[in-house]
Amino acid sequence: MIFAYRPSETGLERVPGGGDPGDELRAALWVDLLSPQPAQVAAVEALGISVPTLADMQEIEVSNRLYRDGNTEVLTIVLPGLDKHKEPTFGPVAFLITPERLFTVRYHTPRPFETFAAHAGQSSAGYSGRRRVFLGLIEEIVARIADLLEGVGEALDQQVTFRDPEPRGDELADTLRALGRQSEQVAKYRHALLTVERALSSFGLGLESDKEKGLREVLKAQVKDCQALAVHGDFLSSRIAQLTDVTLGLINLEQSVASRILSVVAVLFLPPTLVASVYGMNFPFIPGLDHPYGYLIATVLMIGSALGTYLLSKWKKWL
């Protein structure tokens, strides 16, 4: 799909379709390609733009993510979003900044790409040029990542590790799984911030001779926002690590208590078993074997030894 936008009085508006696709693209300031089909790629490449494939965008080398292709500056970052099945995912997004307009290529749906057109008029960078649209998009992206990190922090506040005075074993297991998912999310959000910061640094190199005023100040502010969010991500990671340690400690404590109870219960039966074993020997002469109350005496000895062991365990606070 291709979404073409042009400036309006209040922000960015969709370029009306239905005509020549080439004219539609030439009239746009921002062209957004979502999982483009071959015909759509051909329409864009007819303007002299080389559209990177998903495999190209997934290359880990910096030279394949941040580079210049003639007059086109290509910046690739990794962002959270939704796949075609509306499931959360992370994927690359390429920004192609040409002398005339901005192209974005993506194969999933980060939320800022759906909301920025309506919010472009509120952007601190403005939307009058392709570089300002790029910085406005980055501003929306950074704000979205900040919201996601805040959501992780709120989720951590709801964990039962400290809220419930006596969490059960199944609750602790669920908490441990949730902490693992949140740790993975924070790691991916920090990775996204790292790629955004790298893209901004590369973008800033082209502003040395730029005549548009205020872009460098906006760029510096966004870099500082990324760094501040990275620090907040480290704080969330430390919180997750602490909660994980506490949860594992509670699980170990619960298992220790259960093992201790089972051990004491097993010890309770040792003295009665000893008495029964002695009087169960098949020897002709056993003291008290012929006593008329021998059975009662042995029974009292077994009960008394078990009771004595129980009282000793309670006194020692083993139970």
Side-chain angles (χ1 to χ4, degrees):
M1 299 179 65
I2 294 182
F3 305 95
Y5 299 91
R6 65 185 181 186
S8 66
E9 295 182 358
T10 58
L12 295 174
E13 64 178 8
R14 290 282 299 274
V15 177
D20 184 5
D23 294 337
E24 180 182 347
L25 296 179
R26 293 186 185 92
L29 177 62
W30 170 33
V31 178
D32 181 31
L33 286 78
L34 172 60
S35 301
Q37 301 300 314
Q40 297 169 340
V41 172
V44 173
E45 290 183 342
L47 300 177
I49 306 299
S50 178
V51 178
T53 64
L54 179 60
D56 295 333
M57 295 161 56
Q58 289 176 334
E59 292 289 340
I60 194 171
E61 292 85 357
V62 176
S63 59
N64 289 328
R65 292 194 172 190
L66 309 172
Y67 61 93
R68 294 192 67 88
D69 183 10
N71 293 328
T72 302
E73 184 175 8
V74 181
L75 307 172
T76 303
I77 63 178
V78 180
L79 296 178
L82 300 177
D83 59 16
K84 61 182 180 180
H85 303 294
K86 303 301 180 181
E87 295 293 332
T89 185
F90 277 77
V93 177
F95 294 82
L96 287 70
I97 306 174
T98 70
E100 296 83 17
R101 58 188 60 85
L102 169 69
F103 291 86
T104 55
V105 184
R106 54 194 175 93
Y107 291 85
H108 67 305
T109 311
R111 184 170 176 80
F113 286 80
E114 297 180 341
T115 60
F116 174 66
H119 298 165
Q122 305 169 8
S123 170
S124 60
Y127 57 94
S128 58
R130 83 280 187 202
R131 287 181 170 174
R132 293 185 179 275
V133 172
F134 168 75
L135 289 178
L137 259 173
I138 294 296
E139 182 178 337
E140 190 90 356
I141 288 168
V142 172
R144 175 59 178 169
I145 296 177
D147 292 339
L148 294 173
L149 287 174
E150 183 179 354
V152 173
E154 293 175 355
L156 293 177
D157 293 336
Q158 300 301 319
Q159 297 297 344
V160 301
T161 304
F162 291 126
R163 293 177 62 250
D164 194 337
E166 294 184 1
R168 299 188 303 272
D170 54 346
E171 292 178 338
L172 292 174
D174 292 340
T175 298
L176 202 57
R177 284 189 286 267
L179 289 174
R181 291 192 295 268
Q182 290 155 2
S183 177
E184 182 67 14
Q185 288 176 350
V186 171
K188 289 181 177 180
Y189 297 153
R190 290 199 76 257
H191 181 216
L193 289 170
L194 177 62
T195 61
V196 170
E197 188 175 352
R198 285 180 175 176
L200 289 174
S201 299
S202 179
F203 176 78
L205 298 177
L207 295 180
E208 295 294 339
S209 59
D210 192 81
K211 297 181 180 179
E212 295 178 289
K213 298 180 179 179
L215 285 186
R216 295 198 63 82
E217 287 72 16
V218 174
L219 176 66
K220 291 179 181 179
Q222 292 184 356
V223 170
K224 289 181 179 179
D225 288 342
C226 290
Q227 294 171 348
L229 288 177
V231 172
H232 185 59
D234 292 337
F235 167 70
L236 291 176
S237 296
S238 64
R239 283 193 64 191
I240 292 173
Q242 179 196 19
L243 288 172
T244 301
D245 292 340
V246 173
T247 303
L248 289 174
L250 291 175
I251 292 175
N252 291 334
L253 182 61
E254 187 178 63
Q255 292 176 345
S256 298
V257 171
S259 300
R260 184 178 61 185
I261 292 175
L262 291 175
S263 299
V264 172
V265 170
V267 170
L268 291 179
F269 288 95
L270 287 180
T273 303
L274 177 61
V275 174
S277 299
V278 170
Y279 284 94
M281 295 179 181
N282 295 320
F283 295 110
F285 302 102
I286 295 179
L289 187 62
D290 297 329
H291 196 282
Y293 300 105
Y295 171 76
L296 294 178
I297 294 174
T299 302
V300 170
L301 284 174
M302 288 188 289
I303 295 175
S305 61
L307 181 61
T309 304
Y310 173 78
L311 294 176
L312 177 63
S313 300
K314 292 291 289 184
W315 179 60
K316 292 289 187 178
K317 296 182 179 180
W318 294 340
L319 285 175

